Amino acid sequence: MPAAALEPPCGVVLAAGAGRRFGGPKALARTPAGTPWIALAVRVLRAGGCGEILVALGASLEEAAPLVLSDATVVPVPDWASGVSASLRASLAHAASGTSPAAIVMPVDTPDATPAAIARLVRRARPDALAQAVYDGAPGHPVLIGRAHWDAVSAGAQGDIGARPYLIAQNAELVECGDLWSGMDRDER
């Protein structure tokens, strides 16, 4: 008898920061055509195969929450000023109340991300999985964090340091995605 298929991973959009280098919260950023980056991130995670989508908001919560698509859940991050680690911890804590086997994590400042890059990680989603998209060998987003690693990742994330040290220490699978898009995040308007 074939093994039962796991439910899809949840998608996590990290969008709680103040965006100091950007000149304002990236959660409020839009494309030249006016599409919110938050909406793009939710759509790309959904199209790539994620189930529940969580959007971590903090610095601009009241203004950004209406930009979150109705099929996604806002995760408030009250301690957002302490760094990206607060967003990651809040999102994984929220995800832990569900049954997703893994989380696909990406920052909101990757509006050019493609569903195909998400799908490459979604195919690897298991509770014990760890994977990171790389672009011509350079680490980037998204990352896949299996449920079995959520507590350890949360414990190790500090300030503006997220999951990267844990991914390195645990020898996460590197998934080349340079053929799909640049992998570049945006720090300037």
Side-chain angles (χ1 to χ4, degrees), residues 121-186:
L121 290 164
V122 166
R123 286 193 292 272
R124 293 162 166 80
R126 298 177 321 278
D128 62 342
L130 280 174
Q132 180 166 29
V134 295
Y135 299 88
D136 297 324
H141 286 89
V143 299
L144 165 68
I145 305 170
R147 179 180 278 276
H149 299 279
W150 291 354
D151 288 342
V153 166
S154 292
Q158 301 293 323
D160 273 328
I161 307 296
R164 180 99 175 105
Y166 186 83
L167 295 170
I168 292 169
Q170 297 298 313
N171 198 26
E173 179 183 4
L174 302 179
V175 181
E176 183 59 55
C177 294
D179 59 316
L180 301 174
W181 71 293
S182 71
M184 299 297 293
D185 62 345
R186 296 208 190 156

Side-chain angles (χ1 to χ4, degrees), residues 12-168:
V12 173
V13 181
L14 303 177
R20 286 174 193 83
R21 290 178 295 177
F22 189 70
K26 293 179 184 179
L28 302 177
R30 295 176 180 263
T31 66
T35 305
W37 285 5
I38 287 176
L40 292 176
V42 170
R43 287 183 190 134
V44 77
L45 286 165
R46 179 82 60 222
C50 290
E52 180 182 26
I53 309 292
L54 307 175
V55 180
L57 295 177
S60 56
L61 175 64
E62 297 300 322
E63 297 158 288
L67 304 177
V68 176
L69 299 178
S70 62
D71 65 340
T73 301
V74 171
V75 176
V77 183
D79 57 340
W80 62 267
S82 65
V84 72
S85 61
S87 298
L88 183 59
R89 282 192 302 274
S91 298
L92 293 178
H94 186 90
S97 67
T99 57
S100 294
I104 304 287
V105 180
M106 63 183 277
V108 73
D109 65 356
T110 55
D112 300 319
T114 66
I118 304 298
R120 283 192 183 164
L121 290 164
V122 166
R123 286 193 292 272
R124 293 162 166 80
R126 298 177 321 278
D128 62 342
L130 280 174
Q132 180 166 29
V134 295
Y135 299 88
D136 297 324
H141 286 89
V143 299
L144 165 68
I145 305 170
R147 179 180 278 276
H149 299 279
W150 291 354
D151 288 342
V153 166
S154 292
Q158 301 293 323
D160 273 328
I161 307 296
R164 180 99 175 105
Y166 186 83
L167 295 170
I168 292 169

